Amino acid sequence: MKILVTGAAGFIGFHTASRLLERGDEVVGFDSVNDYYDVDIKERRLEKLHALSTETGTPFHFIRENLADQKQ
Ligand SMILES: NC(=O)c1ccc[n+]([C@@H]2O[C@H](COP(=O)([O-])OP(=O)(O)OC[C@H]3O[C@@H](n4cnc5c(N)ncnc54)[C@H](O)[C@@H]3O)[C@@H](O)[C@H]2O)c1
């Protein structure tokens, strides 16, 4: 199954995406990587998700956008 995880660089989104990749579900992560707290923590989570994808052979795609942005 292909699953969209919003807030994938955040605490809950990262752990959710990790479990999904581990069980073999393709993940599309979506996150603006905002600076509400240390951005380095979020970047390291994204690196871990890409590494987990390589390790498991399950695809992980990441979209760095703001959900609130609307193209007119
Ligand atoms: N952590 C908890 O224990 C807990 C408990 C109950 C509810 N929640 C709720 O669950 C949600 C996630 O919590 P968390 O702890 O993972 O927070 P978090 O701040 O670690 O993660 C949220 C992620 O969403 C991203 N984000 C925010 N607005 C965005 C937007 N407009 N477009 C794209 N990305 C955006 C941020 O960059 C961040 O990486 C929050 O709504 C929180 O209130 C969390």
Side-chain angles (χ1 to χ4, degrees):
M1 197 185 301
K2 185 192 267 188
I3 299 176
L4 174 67
V5 177
T6 55
F11 178 74
I12 291 176
F14 164 71
H15 287 284
T16 302
S18 297
R19 295 287 104 49
L20 290 170
L21 289 171
E22 283 167 354
R23 76 175 196 186
D25 287 314
E26 183 173 352
V27 172
V28 178
F30 192 108
D31 201 301
S32 60
V33 191
N34 69 28
D35 61 0
Y36 181 63
Y37 59 84
D38 189 355
V39 170
D40 288 345
I41 294 172
K42 298 182 180 185
E43 296 292 355
R44 283 199 294 275
R45 289 179 182 140
L46 293 173
E47 285 170 15
K48 285 182 186 171
L49 289 175
H50 284 293
L52 189 56
S53 170
T54 302
E55 190 183 308
T56 59
T58 308
F60 172 67
H61 318 275
F62 182 64
I63 302 168
R64 190 179 296 249
E65 296 282 352
N66 190 324
L67 277 171
D69 284 348
Q70 294 182 25
K71 301 218 170 19
Q72 298 299 323

